[in-house]
Amino acid sequence: MKFIGKLLLTLLLLVVLAAVLLYVVGQTRWAAGTLSRWISDNSEYRLSLEKISHSWSKPGQISLEGVAFTRANQPQILAAKQVNLAFSLRQITDFGYFDSITLRDGTLNLQPQQGAVLPIQADVLQLSNMALHYNDETWQLNAEKVNAGINPWQPKTGHLLGENNQFQLSAGVMVLNGIPASQVLVQGEIKQNQLILSDFGAGLAQGDLTGVASRAADGSWLVERLRLSNVRLQTPLTLEQFWDRFTALPPITVKRFDLIDARLEGKEWAVNDLDLSLQNVTFQQGDWSSQNGLLDFNAGDLINGSFHLIDPIMNMQLSPAGIAIGQFTTRWEGGLLRTSGNWLRANKRLQLDEVAVAALEYTLPINWRTLWLQPLPSWLAEVYIGKMTTNRNLIIDINPDFPFQITALDGYGSNLLLAKDHQWGVWSGSMKFNGNDATFNKVDIRRPSLALDADAQQINVTELSAFMPDGLLDAKVNVSQLPGKPFTLNFSGRSVPLNTLQQWGWQHIPLEGEGNLQLQLKGLLNSDGPFKASLQGQLQATSKEGQTLEQQLP
C-alpha cells in the first residue's frame, strides 16, 4: 500500500510539474510562434502571435500580444497589440464561446465577403482604442480611437456583427461615406437585420449632430429625430450635384429634422444663418410624399449664382395634394417680395393667391429672352397668379443690342396664367403697368403705360403709350397664342422725332425734325430664325413741313 501511495504521489507531482512547465512554456515566444504556425498550417486562417500571457490577478483570462490575423489570400482582418480572452463555463460544451473578447490598440478591418471571420463567439466583444474600417455598397466607414461594446457577439456569414445584439460605440474621428465627424457617440441594436440607432451624436462641420433613427431590412431609413446646430459646411459641389447626392440615398422618412443657425457653401451657391424645420416627409427616388408634413425656414442670405435672396421666410404645409404656401417673404434686388398659395401635385401647377413686389431694382439677365423660351422643369407645368401688384420698381436691361430701363414702375394683374405646358407666356388674365420715365435704346420717354388682356387664343394689348417731349406714342398689339406667336402691331406717333423708330430697329428715314408716324407691322415673336427676318410692315412718315415718306419691310 505504501508503494501505491508513493506512486500516486509521484504521478501527481509529475502532473503538477508538467502543468507548471506547460504554463511557463506556454507564455514564451516559442509557444506563441508554434501555436501560430499550427493554426496557419491546419486551417484557412493566418495567425501571428508574439506572446501569450496570463495573470493570476485575472485567472479566467489570457492575453495574446502582437496579434495579426487574416484569412488566406484576404486583406488583413485584425492587427492588435493585445487581445484579451475571458473564459466562461459555457466553454465546457462550446469551446469557441468566450465570456468576453477585448481588442486593444490596433486596427480591425471588416469586409462583408469575409463572413464569420473566426469560429468563435462571445457574450461581449469590446474594442479599446482601435481603428475600425468597413466598406460595402452602402457604407464606407473609417474610424479612429474607437471604443465599443457589442453584446452578444455571434458573427454569421454575411453578418459580421451578428443579427441580434446591442452595441455602444464612441470614436474620436470618423469618416462615413466621405463625411468627416468627430467625438462620435452611438448607441443602438441590431435586430433581425434592422439597425436601430436609439441615440447618436457627433461633432459635424464645426457644429453638433444628435438624433434617433433606424434602418429597415430593405435599406430604407426612418428618422425619428435629427438635429444639426451651428453647422459650417463647405463643399466643392454645385447645388444640383449636392441635391443629386441626396436623391441617390435610399428611401428616407423624416419625422422631425431641425437645422439651426447653419451656414452652407458650395460652388456658386451659399446659405447663411439658416434655420429649418421639416416634419413628416418621405423622400424616395427623387420625389417626396407626405400625409401631414411641415416645412418652415428662414435665412439671412440665400445665394444661387447671381440670384440672391435676403432674409427669406417661408412656411409650408405638405400633403398628398401638394404644398400649401402659408407665407413667403424676402428681400430681393433691393425690394420686397411677398406671396402665398399652393403647389398642386396633380397638374404640377403653382397657384399663387397674391404676389406683391415693391421697390425692386432689378437688372434682367443678359440672356433673359433665351431663358423665357426654355421649358420649365418637370415638376412645374403651370404658374397661376390670382392677384399681382408692383410698386415703385426699377427694371433694367443691359443687352447692348437693345438696352432699356423703366423707373417707378407700378402695375396690377389678375387671373394670370404665366406658364402652361412647361412654357412661359401670358396665357390668360389681364395686366396693366405704368412707369414714371423710361429709356428704350437711347430714346427717352415719359409716363409709359401698358394694358393687356389674354385668353387661350390671343394676347390683346389695348394700350401701349408714352409721352415724348412734345408728342405722344400710341400702339395696339395683337399676339396669337399659336406656335411662333404671330403678332400684328399698329403704331402711331404724333409730334415725335421722325428718327424714333430708327433707334428701335427700323431702317433709316431720310426726314429730319418732328412729325407724325404711322406703322403697321406683323411677324413672329418667337421666330426660329432672326426676329427681323419674320417681319413685314409699312411705315408712313409726315414731317411738320408736309413732307411724306412711305417705307416697307421687307
Side-chain angles (χ1 to χ4, degrees), residues 116-267:
V117 294
L118 274 176
I120 59 175
Q121 300 178 11
D123 283 334
V124 179
L125 172 65
Q126 294 180 316
L127 309 181
S128 178
N129 193 32
M130 293 287 290
L132 180 63
H133 306 291
Y134 180 84
N135 290 279
D136 65 9
E137 294 180 355
T138 304
W139 303 90
Q140 291 81 47
L141 183 147
N142 296 281
E144 304 289 337
K145 299 181 181 178
V146 175
N147 296 293
I150 300 173
N151 177 26
W153 180 56
Q154 299 173 335
K156 296 182 179 180
T157 301
H159 301 280
L160 300 177
L161 301 180
E163 294 180 309
N164 293 280
N165 57 55
Q166 296 180 339
F167 63 89
Q168 292 182 332
L169 179 146
S170 68
V173 178
M174 178 182 290
V175 180
L176 178 61
N177 293 344
I179 302 174
S182 62
Q183 304 304 318
V184 180
L185 297 171
V186 182
Q187 180 176 338
E189 61 181 305
I190 298 174
K191 183 183 295 183
Q192 297 297 328
N193 292 329
Q194 287 183 303
L195 175 62
I196 301 172
L197 305 179
S198 56
D199 190 17
F200 61 88
L204 179 67
Q206 305 179 45
D208 298 313
L209 166 71
T210 60
V212 176
S214 61
R215 188 183 73 165
D218 61 3
S220 62
W221 282 89
L222 172 63
V223 179
E224 295 282 351
R225 171 176 53 83
L226 186 63
R227 178 187 174 100
L228 276 168
S229 57
N230 302 307
V231 169
R232 305 292 183 262
L233 177 65
Q234 289 185 314
T235 174
L237 302 177
T238 64
L239 187 59
E240 182 178 1
Q241 292 169 336
F242 188 81
W243 178 250
D244 287 343
R245 288 278 186 94
F246 177 78
T247 56
L249 295 174
I252 301 175
T253 297
V254 179
K255 286 195 172 182
R256 184 175 183 93
F257 170 62
D258 294 297
L259 186 60
I260 301 171
D261 191 24
R263 296 184 181 180
L264 314 176
E265 183 178 352
K267 185 178 180 181

Side-chain angles (χ1 to χ4, degrees), residues 27-39:
Q27 298 184 67
T28 63
R29 295 184 181 274
W30 174 85
T34 301
L35 179 61
S36 299
R37 287 190 295 272
W38 185 85
I39 292 176

Side-chain angles (χ1 to χ4, degrees), residues 3 67 89 121 137 149 190 255 261 271 288 307 330 332 346 390 429 438 446 493 524 526 530-531:
F3 174 76
V67 179
L89 293 176
Q121 300 178 11
E137 294 180 355
I190 298 174
K255 286 195 172 182
D261 191 24
V271 185
W288 63 271
F307 184 73
T330 184
W332 177 50
T390 66
R446 293 181 296 108
L524 299 175
N526 296 346
F531 174 66

